[in-house]
């Protein structure tokens, strides 16, 4: 790890770092090395080194869509977080670095009287992660507001993609398909009334509290929405509301969520997911695809 100190200050390098503190599931063993990224140069230079020496690495945002193995991750975690989270506004455009939280970007838009990002105010991920998976909620999604995305390519080149080049789809984009790393995003919003925008955000927050198990650690919606169905209803109709393995279970409040309502392990969560997929397939003939990412041996 001494070589990494040539690229990043030693205070930003953590060895044997417990990942349970860096995921919204609050689950995960230790990462061999955890590095907090503060600039494009740091990220580009460090990635160049890691690829040269063929060390495994994983790009982490807010850990809101991630299940980390109980045994941890025997590689390098590169966290693009609040140290890489600048937000700037100019007219109806916002320039947001990849590590900024979606909720912070939505608040900033509201404060400047800009509408279009209200849907993202309760999504717990970063803007970078949100672009990668075309995050959405309550009828809005990132593809509606993204004008340009600056990415780091596999050879260390910096590219600028416009909205059409992003190939946004349901919970996917060209970023995920091509292995690019998001550095920053330019959003195109519209002028609006600050009080109306705030009221809309408060209404969405109220609906989330009523319908989602926010009182428990989770990774949000566990499964993608299968075409023609709703994952939560399929799981409920399969009689799986409240189904548990260890400290992990299907939320009775919203069956689309697998929650950590005790001292759940990654294995507990994975077993709940496997059972849900198997029983929904058997009962309805529908295959549920995981939305969350597994990291390490699970």
């Amino acid at each position: 790890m001494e070589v990494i100190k040539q690229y990043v200050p030693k205070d930003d390098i953590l060895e044997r770092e417990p990942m349970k503190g860096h995921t919204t599931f609050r689950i995960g063993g230790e990462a061999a090395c955890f590095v907090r990224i503060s600039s494009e140069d740091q990220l580009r230079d460090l990635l160049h080194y890691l690829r040269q020496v063929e060390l495994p690495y994983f790009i982490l945002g807010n850990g809101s869509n991630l299940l980390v193995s109980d045994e941890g991750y025997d590689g390098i975690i590169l966290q693009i977080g609040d140290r890489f989270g600048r937000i700037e506004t100019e007219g109806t455009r916002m320039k947001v670095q990849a590590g900024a939280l979606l909720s912070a970007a939505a608040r900033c838009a509201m404060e400047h009287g800009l509408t279009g990002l209200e849907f993202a105010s309760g999504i717990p991920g970063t803007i970078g992660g949100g672009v990668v998976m075309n995050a959405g909620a309550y009828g809005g999604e990132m593809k509606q507001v993204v004008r340009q995305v600056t990415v780091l390519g596999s050879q260390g080149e910096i590219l600028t993609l416009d909205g059409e080049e992003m190939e946004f789809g349901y919970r996917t984009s060209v970023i995920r398909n091509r292995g690019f790393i998001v550095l920053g995003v330019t959003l195109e919003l519209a002028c609006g009334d600050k009080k109306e925008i705030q009221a809309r955000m408060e209404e969405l927050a109220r609906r989330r509290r009523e319908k989602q198990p926010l009182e428990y650690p989770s990774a949000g919606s566990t499964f993608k929405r299968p075409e023609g169905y709703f994952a939560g209803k399929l799981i409920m109709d399969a009689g799986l509301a409240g189904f548990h393995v260890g400290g992990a279970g299907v939320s009775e409040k919203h069956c689309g969520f697998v929650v950590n309502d005790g001292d759940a392990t990654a294995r507990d969560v994975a077993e709940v997911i496997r059972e849900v997929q198997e029983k929904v397939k058997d009962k309805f003939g529908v295959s549920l695809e995981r939305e969350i990412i597994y990291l390490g041996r699970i």
Side-chain angles (χ1 to χ4, degrees):
M1 302 307 167
E2 288 299 316
V3 176
I4 295 177
K5 294 176 184 177
Q6 298 177 19
Y7 303 97
V8 181
K10 64 179 182 179
D11 290 346
D12 290 335
I13 304 170
L14 308 173
E15 296 188 45
R16 311 312 314 177
E17 176 69 5
M19 288 300 294
K20 66 169 61 177
H22 299 286
T23 71
T24 56
F25 249 136
R26 298 294 177 255
I27 293 172
E30 295 179 340
C33 183
F34 186 96
V35 182
R36 295 185 292 231
I37 299 296
S38 299
S39 71
E40 289 183 13
D41 289 343
Q42 279 184 2
L43 182 62
R44 184 183 62 247
D45 294 346
L46 187 50
L47 280 174
H48 179 69
Y49 164 71
L50 294 177
R51 288 164 176 163
Q52 274 192 324
V53 298
E54 299 184 344
L55 274 174
Y57 64 86
F58 181 81
I59 305 295
L60 177 73
N62 196 44
S64 59
N65 201 38
L66 184 67
L67 180 66
V68 180
S69 167
D70 302 312
E71 285 74 43
Y73 178 64
D74 191 23
I76 315 296
I77 298 288
L78 304 177
Q79 185 192 40
I80 300 178
D82 57 2
R83 295 175 182 224
F84 197 64
R86 188 174 65 250
I87 303 173
E88 300 174 344
T89 61
E90 183 177 340
T92 56
R93 290 191 183 180
M94 289 181 60
K95 292 186 176 180
V96 189
Q97 284 189 307
L101 290 175
L102 283 161
S103 56
R107 284 196 306 272
C108 182
M110 181 268 292
E111 290 166 0
H112 286 82
L114 298 175
T115 184
L117 202 57
E118 292 91 329
F119 74 89
S121 59
I123 299 176
T126 62
I127 196 90
V131 167
V132 171
M133 66 175 293
N134 188 25
Y138 298 106
E141 54 188 348
M142 294 305 296
K143 75 174 184 180
Q144 297 169 353
V145 295
V146 170
R147 184 176 182 85
Q148 288 184 331
V149 181
T150 303
V151 302
L152 187 65
S154 60
Q155 303 302 313
E157 72 278 24
I158 294 179
L159 307 171
T160 300
L161 309 176
D162 63 28
E164 291 183 359
E165 291 175 306
M166 286 296 297
E167 298 177 12
F168 284 122
Y170 175 65
R171 300 299 175 264
T172 191
S173 70
V174 73
I175 306 296
R176 174 164 284 177
N177 299 334
R178 295 278 296 277
F180 294 149
I181 297 171
V182 178
L183 299 176
V185 183
T186 299
L187 305 176
E188 185 69 59
L189 304 174
C191 292
D193 181 84
K194 181 176 177 180
K195 289 184 179 180
E196 290 180 2
I197 296 168
Q198 184 174 13
R200 174 62 175 164
M201 289 168 61
E202 290 172 353
E203 167 64 12
L204 294 181
R206 182 189 64 78
R207 290 168 63 178
R208 283 188 174 91
R209 289 192 300 270
E210 289 179 353
K211 297 182 179 181
Q212 298 179 9
L214 303 182
E215 63 272 28
Y216 296 110
S218 78
S221 296
T222 305
F223 303 98
K224 294 181 180 180
R225 184 179 66 243
E227 188 173 354
Y229 299 91
F230 291 99
K233 188 174 189 312
L234 288 170
I235 296 166
M236 181 176 66
D237 291 347
L240 292 166
F243 172 74
H244 268 70
V245 174
V250 175
S251 168
E252 295 186 70
K253 192 173 186 179
H254 190 314
C255 290
F257 285 64
V258 174
V259 299
N260 174 6
D261 64 2
D263 192 17
T265 66
R267 286 192 183 90
D268 292 341
V269 173
E271 181 61 18
V272 170
I273 290 172
R274 189 192 67 78
E275 286 283 339
V276 167
Q277 289 173 318
E278 182 178 295
K279 290 182 180 179
V280 167
K281 178 69 171 178
D282 288 346
K283 189 172 181 65
F284 301 110
V286 178
S287 297
L288 293 180
E289 182 182 352
R290 279 189 289 109
E291 187 167 309
I292 63 175
I293 297 167
Y294 285 180
L295 182 62
R297 293 185 296 272
I298 297 176

